[in-house]
Amino acid sequence: MDVVQLTPEVAAYRTPGGIPVRFRLEDRGFCSSQGQATRDQLALHLTLGRLQLLRGFDRLLCLEGVNGVEHLPHQIETVRKVLRRFRGRVLLADEVGLGKTIEACLLLREYLLRGLARRILILVPNPLVTQWRDELEGKFGLDFKIPPRTATSSRPEFWQSTDRVLVSTSFARTGSRPAAIAAAPWDIVVVDEAHHCKNPQTKLWQLVNSLQRRYMFLLTATPVQNNLVELYNLLTLLEPGHLQTAQDFKRQFVRRGNPRDPRNRHRLRALLGEVMIRNTRSLVQIDLPPRYAQTIVAVPGPDERQLHDAVHRYLRQRTPPDAATSPRHCAPCEEDAACEEDVPRERGLSRLQIRSILAALGSHPTAVADSLEKISAADPEAARLRQLAARITHSAKDERLLELLRDSHGHRVLIFVHSLRTLHRVEDLLTDAGFRFATFSGEQSRAEKDAAVERFRDEVPILLCTDAGGEGHNLQFADTLINYDLPWNPMRIEQRIGRLHRYGQTQDVFVFNLCTENSLESRILALLNDKIRMFELVVGEIGSILGNLDDGDEFESVVLRMWMKAGDERQLAEAFTSLGDALLDAQSQYLESKELDDALFGEDFE
């Protein structure tokens, strides 16, 4: 591990965990009289850095270099406790919305910076893979490899040669992958929504139990869902023998005839306090102001309605007969190839193309024209639809957006759009209407993004941004959110809300959701709002609910599969009704487990 001088003023080295560390030579006092550092001076600096790492955990290294993460006291104290008292094996059981993912990422960064870990495996439910990847990369600067859906992921060589892996639990536990993963040594294993490891008979429990690991972080807001034996099974993965044998545990702590009611509660709580950290909202004193949500339905004009119906007919004609019944998780291929969702089929469009066009249809006609551009070169019908979409420059949602903005005088408004094409169209709309605004998107440099946020805070009342642009910045000085279009993933919607309704917000927050009448997005919105009252949930709860769905697939994939399978609007409505019932069941499971956990862990662990 050598120090490399990048410029006469700056040098850098990598920690044993692989994280680059830059430093200014003049700040360290190691510059020679000629303004250049000697190799001996650089070596001295490196030795000093190593010694500082060994001094203890009073000074956390992980807090420097993160992006858009508040340094909340309970999260920092959790990191210190894991390092000092729990020796890298802990059940993080904070209540929903208190930042277990942030705590785990801070711990990963700390272990990497100190050279205490290099190889890390993160196992999460399939709906949470994207969220974890965004948090790791965008906020903590940590790159993780998501295994390809090919034969490569079944070979032990992949897992042994890849130091940082983020993988869904459903993908990791199928086929020959469990043996390949278990054959590789890991410094840290992280399991999110760990309550799914409650049964030793399941493949997931057996996979986690078989892993070679030095440290382990289990994350769940609801460690117990049905009975206390599940808690024993979970903690056996973490610290085998801590609760003795299953028979001893039942005899000491489980009341006969009622496995949900513990005996010797204080003794059990003391044992749990040795392996578990649970922060509650009352303990950390996070009390957010109220949040209000309203759905604004835009009635399309004749041209827009014609486009909507024509695109749906076109896509149904080009949906492959077997597309809706293809497996959710691709089986390993004989050769490394693209995932089957990305590959156009001989008799129609690929799932990815269909999904892209449907999402554009829920955004703006100009986005539809953009999504059809490549296809239209070889498809006359797609070319005709593209021309039809391009002629519609003003949509029904445009009018409703302008109405909302005219009524929002005195408020700071954040407008989210899904695609860059829609963003540029809304920019033109706001400019023509005379509104002052700033733009924040993935097209901009970091300096440009920071300048946009500063303008929004100090000068202009509106910030227009994409999903990619909104990550990593906290905008709690704003109080109004307008979802011009809606992502199909409910956690993406929740992340948008979390930009405003978060720690530090002092005002009531207003959320307005725009959707076109009878669109796919309007069905999704009605489902989430009417069935589980999504916009009244604590930020973070939707992930726990979706994790209880039987198929364990990403929500947007469920929606796409339903649309492709339904032959008409009636069948689609029936499919959404069934999905709504499944969501209600998933929410009931979450609420029951939360009630039990609150009874068991109501007091704070010290």
Side-chain angles (χ1 to χ4, degrees), residues 234-301:
L234 187 61
L235 293 181
T236 296
L237 291 174
L238 188 68
E239 285 287 357
H242 182 71
L243 298 177
Q244 300 183 341
T245 67
Q247 185 175 358
D248 290 333
F249 177 79
K250 291 178 183 178
R251 183 174 61 252
Q252 292 184 62
F253 302 115
V254 180
R255 193 176 302 279
R256 182 173 299 179
N258 188 358
R260 298 167 63 93
D261 185 15
R263 301 174 56 214
N264 301 324
R265 185 177 300 233
H266 292 292
R267 171 59 180 159
L268 176 59
R269 293 175 61 80
L271 286 172
L272 294 179
E274 296 175 8
V275 292
M276 171 178 164
I277 297 175
R278 181 175 177 86
N279 294 304
T280 64
R281 303 186 78 83
S282 59
L283 172 68
V284 302
Q285 297 180 342
I286 290 183
D287 188 16
L288 296 179
R291 184 176 77 216
Y292 305 95
Q294 182 178 352
T295 298
I296 308 294
V297 178
V299 180

Side-chain angles (χ1 to χ4, degrees), residues 91 191-198 204 218-220 234 237:
L91 172 62
V191 184
D192 194 14
E193 299 294 327
H195 52 268
H196 293 300
C197 300
K198 60 190 177 184
L204 179 58
L218 302 180
L219 283 60
T220 175
L234 187 61
L237 291 174

Side-chain angles (χ1 to χ4, degrees), residues 33-84:
S33 58
Q34 290 76 28
Q36 296 286 326
T38 68
R39 189 168 186 81
D40 288 342
Q41 288 174 333
L42 293 175
L44 281 172
H45 175 80
L46 180 56
T47 301
L48 175 64
R50 286 170 169 167
L51 290 174
Q52 288 174 332
L53 292 178
L54 298 176
R55 286 183 177 177
F57 302 116
D58 292 331
R59 173 176 170 260
L60 295 179
L61 308 179
C62 59
L63 301 179
E64 299 179 7
V66 297
N67 179 39
V69 178
E70 297 106 333
H71 294 172
L72 300 185
H74 76 276
Q75 295 174 346
I76 295 173
E77 184 59 26
T78 293
V79 173
R80 287 201 174 101
K81 283 182 179 179
V82 175
L83 292 165
R84 291 173 177 171

Side-chain angles (χ1 to χ4, degrees), residues 2 464 480 521:
D2 292 330
L464 174 64
T480 302
E521 286 69 25

